[in-house]
Amino acid sequence: CYARSPEGRAAAAMPPEMTAEEALRQAEAEGLTLLRSEGGSTGFKGVRFDSSRNRSKPYQARVQRGGKAVSLGYFVTPEEAALVVARTPEAQVAAAAPPEPPPMTAEEALRQAEAEGLTLLRSDRSISGYKCVVFDSSSRGKPYQAKVSRGGKNVSLGYLATAEEAALVVARDSAAQAAAPQLPATS
């Protein structure tokens, strides 16, 4: 099954090991974009460093498929692993998507909330200072998680750079939920 998949066919066509430069040249030749990541230790989305399983090939290529993490194999360089990720349908969609807007500063988020007529709910009990905003020190670059409860379940609205930006996302979600048509109660 793996040999029939796009990843399996790509792996079969690829030389056994590639240097970083070879992987970058190959990506360029195939017209692929290696998706960069500021948060990870490897510098690439879908690539993680894991020397515990394979010391000679410590870079694992992974994608999310059907809600599950799927390993695409282990590689010598992060660039080689990123090339394998870039060949997946998931990465093709991500590369075609418009770039993510830059994070807002605290001041920009406060001004935007005011412009949209939204109130950022303060909290004395939260480290972030805002209701439904959790600080996660393990999340580099975007340590503030916007988190709400829907139907008794916690739902993450994403990780953001500042507490104010996360509070703005929560306020927008609350406004959208309040504006959504409510289904009539059934007996």
Side-chain angles (χ1 to χ4, degrees):
C1 288
Y2 177 75
R4 291 180 186 143
S5 73
E7 296 83 13
R9 282 184 256 132
M14 199 162 79
E17 295 179 2
M18 297 179 97
T19 66
E21 294 77 21
E22 289 169 335
L24 292 171
R25 279 195 301 275
Q26 186 62 36
E28 187 176 337
E30 294 179 32
L32 298 172
T33 301
L34 303 186
L35 300 174
R36 296 283 181 175
S37 170
E38 293 178 21
S41 63
T42 66
F44 296 99
K45 288 184 181 177
V47 178
R48 71 183 199 124
F49 181 77
D50 182 6
S51 64
S52 65
R53 294 188 58 129
N54 191 336
R55 290 181 191 255
S56 64
K57 295 182 178 182
Y59 296 98
Q60 183 186 26
R62 294 168 37 143
V63 294
Q64 287 290 322
R65 190 170 286 156
K68 296 186 179 194
V70 176
S71 176
L72 304 176
Y74 288 84
F75 303 89
V76 175
T77 66
E79 292 81 3
E80 183 181 19
L83 174 61
V84 171
V85 171
R87 289 174 172 153
T88 66
E90 294 85 357
Q92 299 287 321
V93 169
E100 197 175 295
M104 289 182 165
T105 65
E107 295 77 22
E108 289 170 334
L110 291 170
R111 280 195 301 272
Q112 189 61 40
E114 186 178 336
E116 293 178 30
L118 298 171
T119 302
L120 306 186
L121 300 175
R122 303 284 294 161
S123 171
D124 292 334
R125 294 188 290 168
S126 172
I127 293 171
S128 71
Y130 292 95
K131 186 177 179 187
C132 300
V133 175
V134 179
F135 179 75
D136 180 1
S137 62
S138 68
S139 180
R140 291 183 250 173
K142 295 183 177 182
Y144 295 96
Q145 183 183 22
K147 216 170 168 180
V148 296
S149 179
R150 287 198 192 128
K153 295 190 178 197
N154 285 330
V155 177
S156 176
L157 302 177
Y159 286 85
L160 299 120
T162 66
E164 291 77 9
E165 185 178 17
L168 175 61
V169 169
V170 170
R172 285 175 175 160
D173 180 75
S174 297
Q177 291 298 313
Q182 301 298 316
L183 296 175
T186 58
S187 56

